[in-house]
Amino acid sequence: MLGWAVQAGAAAALAALFYATAPAYDNGWRWAHSTTLSAAKTASPEPLFEERIIDKGGGGFQHAATIIKIGNEFIAFWYSGEYEGTANSAIKAARFDGKAWSAAFVVTDQMSTARELGRFIKTVGNAVPYITDDGALHLFYTVVPMRGWSTANLAVKSSFDGGRTWTAARRLISSPLLNLSTMVKSAPLAGTNGSILLPAYWSLGTQYPLVLQVGKDMRVTGLHRMGNNRAGLQPTIMPVDDDKAVGFLRRLRDARKTGLRTTLTKDGGKTWSKPAETGLPNQGTPTVGLRLAKDRILAIFSERNEGILSFGMFNDDGSVRARMFTLPTKFRGNKAYPYAIQDADGTIDLMFSCEDNTAICHVRFNEAWVEQQSRQVSGAAP
Amino acid sequence: MTWNMDQAILLGCGVIVTWLTTVGMPKTRLVAFALIAFALLVPLPRFTVFDIIVATLGTLSVTTIANTVMVAMSRNHFVMPEASRAEFVSGMALLTVVGGALYASTFGFTLLDLYSFGFDERNFTLLAAPLWLFAIFKRWMWFVITIPLVAIAVRLQLLQSANWWDYVIDPVYWAVAMGKLVQQLWLGRRVATV
C-alpha cells in the first residue's frame, strides 16, 4: 500500500508540474476591430463607378475571386479550371495598378500543392488573402483530397515580397475527422493577439459556420462555432465594436424557404445567436459585407438564381435598414460569389464571378455612388 | 513524391511493425510484406498508392502509433507485456466512447464542440492525469506508458496539429477500437454461455 501511495504521489506531482508548465492558452481572442471600421474613411463627394473584366488566362471555369491591397496595388485571386472540381485546377492571380489589370498568372495548382503537401490532391478551390502586421501576404485556400467539396481541407502559402514568390503550401489541421470538411470563402479578420480569425464552414453531411483562429506559425490554435447543424454556410463577419459583430450566412441549398440569415455575437465571437431570417433572398452564393460610415453595413448578396447581385443596408444589430438596388452592370450571365474591400479613401472594389463563371469581373465604386443609386431607385438615401 | 513528417511517421511505424511481426515468420509471409510495400510505392499516373492512402487517412494519432508498436512488441515477447483482458476492454471502450462523442460533436449533432477544447493543453492534463493515476493503481501498463507518450508529443507539438485530440485519437483507431470491443464482448458472452 505504501508503494502505491509513493507511486501515486510521484505521478500526481508530475501531472501537476505538467499542468503548471502548460503553455498559456489565449482564450480571450477577439478581433482588432479598428482595422475593419471605416470611421476614418473619407468618403468622396463625387460618385464613382467603373467596370472591368480580368483576363481569363486561358478560359474555362473561373470562380470565387477575392482581392487585397498590398502597397499601392491590388492583387485578385481566384480558382480556375476546365470545370468546377476538375483535376487540372489552379489558383490564379492578377495585379491591378488602379488603371488596368495585368495578365493572369498561376500562384499554385493542384499538382504543385500535392507535391508540397506530400499528399494526393484532387483539386484546389476558394482562396482568401490576408496581410499580417509584418507585411507578409498569406493565402488560405481549399484543397480537396477526395471526391466532392465536402471533403475539403485548408492549406496556406505565404509571400514576403508582395506575392511574387511563395512558400511551399502547409496544411491547416481544423477537424478531428481525417481533417475533412473545412472550407473558406470570406475575408479573414485581425485578432487582437496577433492571430488571424478565419471565417470557415463545415459541410460534410451537416453544415455549419465557424471561425478558426490561426496563430503566427500558421497553425489552427482555436475554433468557435457560429451555429449548430444546418445554421448556414460561408459566413462573413462584420465587427461593429470590440465585442459585437454581425455574421451573414449563406442559406443551405435544400432550405428552399429561407433567405439571407444573420447571427450576432456580443462576446468577441465566442458565442453566436441563433441565425435569424432577414427576409432578403439569398440564392446559392455568399454575402459580402462592408461597414460604412454612419453605423451602417453594406451587404451585397445574390438576388435570384440567375445570379443578379443586390445591395442592401443593415444596421449594426443585424436588422435590415433598406433593400436598395441591383448592381447595374454590363456583364452578362450568372454573377456570383461577391467579395469586396474598402480602401482608406472610401473606394470599394467588388470582385465576382461573371459571364456564367467563365470570367472574373471587377466593379469599383464609392459610397457617393451607392447613395446616388439608392435615391434613383427609392427616392431616398439608405 | 515529397516526403513529410506524417509520411515519415507512418513509414517508420510500418517498418518497425513489419520487422517485429516478421521475427520468426516464414519466408512466404516476408515476401508478401515486401510485395505489398513495393506496390504501395509504385507510381500511378501521378501519385503512388501510398500517397492516396496517406491523403485518405490523414495523420495517425500518437496513441495509434504507440499502441501499434506496443502490439508488435508484446506479440513477439519483446519487453512489452500483453494487456490483461480488463485493461484491453477498458481501453477499447474508452476510445470508442471518446471517439464517438468527438466525431458526433464534429458533425454538428451537439451544440458543444468538443474539438475546440483540444486547443488548451491544460484540458488534456486535467482529463489524463486521473486516468493515469488510476492506471498506475490498476497496474495497467499500456495506459501507464501511452498517456505520458501522448502528453510529451502534445507538449513538443510533434504533429502538424496544435490540438491534443489529434494526438489522442484518429478515426482509424476509433474504428479498430469499436471492432475489437465488439469482438471482445462477443467472445466474453460466448465463454459465459459455454
Side-chain angles (χ1 to χ4, degrees):
Chain A
M1 192 63 193
L2 186 64
W4 149 245
V6 170
Q7 285 177 15
L14 200 58
L17 180 67
F18 205 79
Y19 181 87
T21 57
Y25 177 62
D26 187 358
N27 200 29
W29 62 283
R30 57 184 54 173
W31 41 78
H33 78 274
S34 58
T35 61
T36 61
L37 295 184
S38 58
K41 290 170 186 167
T42 52
S44 168
E46 293 300 316
L48 168 74
F49 184 80
E50 299 170 355
E51 295 180 279
R52 293 178 183 84
I53 194 162
I54 301 181
D55 165 57
K56 295 181 181 180
F61 188 79
Q62 320 286 333
H63 196 40
T66 53
I67 185 170
I68 196 163
K69 186 176 185 186
I70 184 160
N72 290 321
E73 65 176 3
F74 297 80
I75 308 179
F77 300 92
W78 69 97
Y79 82 87
S80 170
E82 192 180 340
Y83 52 86
E84 185 173 4
T86 182
N88 61 353
S89 55
I91 304 291
K92 287 186 177 175
R95 293 177 184 277
F96 180 62
D97 60 6
K99 294 174 183 170
W101 284 95
S102 72
F105 57 92
V106 173
V107 173
T108 187
D109 59 21
Q110 168 248 354
M111 280 303 291
S112 303
T113 297
R115 272 196 303 274
E116 290 164 9
L117 296 179
R119 357 184 120 233
F120 173 76
I121 298 296
K122 182 176 176 287
T123 191
V124 294
N126 300 356
V128 292
Y130 184 79
I131 298 176
T132 41
D133 291 340
D134 59 0
L137 172 61
H138 305 283
L139 188 67
F140 299 95
Y141 63 106
T142 302
V143 298
V144 181
M146 294 182 233
R147 189 177 175 82
W149 291 114
S150 60
T151 66
N153 50 59
L154 302 177
V156 60
K157 289 174 85 75
S158 303
S159 173
F160 302 96
D161 57 4
R164 282 165 183 81
T165 59
W166 295 87
T167 62
R170 283 166 289 174
R171 288 201 311 153
L172 293 181
I173 312 293
S174 54
S175 145
L177 202 70
L178 306 176
N179 196 30
L180 292 180
S181 200
T182 312
M183 296 177 72
V184 289
K185 173 61 190 83
S186 309
L189 308 169
T192 50
N193 55 3
S195 63
I196 302 168
L197 304 180
L198 188 60
Y201 54 101
W202 168 276
S203 63
L204 181 62
T206 58
Q207 294 165 318
Y208 57 83
L210 49 92
V211 192
L212 300 174
Q213 182 189 36
V214 180
K216 290 175 182 170
D217 61 353
M218 292 297 123
R219 286 184 176 202
V220 176
T221 54
L223 179 158
H224 283 301
R225 281 199 200 163
M226 294 176 65
N228 210 20
N229 181 14
R230 301 181 58 75
L233 288 173
Q234 296 175 333
T236 295
I237 299 174
M238 278 290 100
V240 295
D241 65 22
D242 279 346
D243 300 310
K244 294 178 190 166
V246 178
F248 292 101
L249 305 176
R250 172 183 168 178
R251 74 165 178 82
L252 303 177
R253 183 173 293 176
D254 59 347
R256 301 281 178 214
K257 292 179 182 173
T258 64
L260 178 60
R261 291 170 156 186
T262 55
T263 176
L264 302 171
T265 180
K266 295 178 180 176
D267 56 9
K270 292 188 196 69
T271 58
W272 293 81
S273 66
K274 187 177 179 183
E277 296 294 333
T278 60
L280 299 179
N282 179 220
Q283 298 290 343
T285 203
T287 297
V288 64
L290 292 166
R291 192 157 187 276
L292 306 182
K294 302 175 193 170
D295 298 336
R296 300 172 305 166
I297 297 172
L298 174 68
I300 304 168
F301 54 97
S302 180
E303 178 84 20
R304 293 197 292 269
N305 275 333
E306 302 91 85
I308 294 171
L309 294 178
S310 294
F311 284 55
M313 200 66 82
F314 285 72
N315 296 310
D316 278 355
D317 62 359
S319 60
V320 180
R321 190 180 185 120
R323 180 176 177 176
M324 299 190 292
F325 55 89
T326 58
L327 179 68
T329 175
K330 65 185 180 187
F331 303 122
R332 62 175 178 79
N334 185 46
K335 298 163 200 68
Y337 274 56
Y339 188 99
I341 57 171
Q342 188 174 26
D343 204 355
D345 65 359
T347 305
I348 296 168
D349 289 281
L350 169 66
M351 311 297 297
F352 53 94
S353 314
C354 60
E355 314 249 321
D356 294 326
N357 295 334
T358 62
I360 300 299
C361 292
H362 171 217
V363 172
R364 180 166 249 213
F365 58 92
N366 60 11
E367 291 184 39
W369 176 82
V370 173
E371 296 205 357
Q372 182 193 58
Q373 283 295 117
S374 189
R375 281 199 192 91
Q376 284 177 5
V377 174
S378 64
Chain B
M1 184 167 59
T2 305
W3 294 91
N4 62 19
M5 190 66 180
D6 300 341
Q7 290 171 317
I9 289 171
L10 195 64
L11 188 71
C13 183
V15 168
I16 292 168
V17 171
T18 305
W19 174 69
L20 288 168
T21 53
T22 52
V23 174
M25 275 192 178
K27 282 183 182 174
T28 49
R29 200 169 292 185
L30 275 171
V31 171
F33 268 119
L35 285 174
I36 290 168
F38 180 73
L40 288 176
L41 295 172
V42 169
L44 294 177
R46 282 180 294 187
F47 296 95
T48 64
V49 176
F50 187 76
D51 282 331
I52 295 170
I53 291 173
V54 169
T56 308
L57 294 184
T59 305
L60 296 176
S61 65
V62 173
T63 310
T64 303
I65 296 167
N67 284 185
T68 306
V69 174
M70 287 157 73
V71 165
M73 291 168 73
S74 68
R75 290 213 175 146
N76 290 284
H77 310 292
F78 181 73
V79 182
M80 194 70 210
E82 288 212 24
S84 67
R85 185 169 185 277
E87 181 180 8
F88 184 74
V89 170
S90 300
M92 295 301 108
L94 187 64
L95 286 171
T96 300
V97 171
V98 166
L102 178 65
Y103 300 137
S105 151
T106 301
F107 265 106
F109 295 133
T110 60
L111 195 58
L112 189 71
D113 192 323
L114 286 178
Y115 190 65
S116 64
F117 287 98
F119 293 108
D120 189 349
E121 190 188 310
R122 290 169 300 184
N123 291 337
F124 171 75
T125 312
L126 287 175
L127 293 171
L131 185 63
W132 194 44
L133 288 175
F134 181 73
I136 291 171
F137 174 71
K138 298 286 285 183
R139 297 284 186 269
W140 285 357
M141 293 310 292
W142 287 56
F143 277 85
V144 171
I145 293 169
T146 305
I147 290 170
L149 285 177
V150 173
I152 291 166
V154 170
R155 175 61 58 88
L156 298 177
Q157 298 278 288
L158 289 182
L159 302 181
Q160 285 179 310
S161 174
N163 189 307
W164 55 257
W165 279 115
D166 294 315
Y167 294 72
V168 171
I169 192 167
D170 58 73
V172 176
Y173 202 4
W174 181 59
V176 170
M178 275 196 298
K180 289 288 180 188
L181 183 64
V182 169
Q183 186 187 37
Q184 283 295 318
L185 295 177
W186 177 251
L187 283 176
R189 186 166 160 251
R190 284 188 63 187
V191 170
T193 307
V194 171

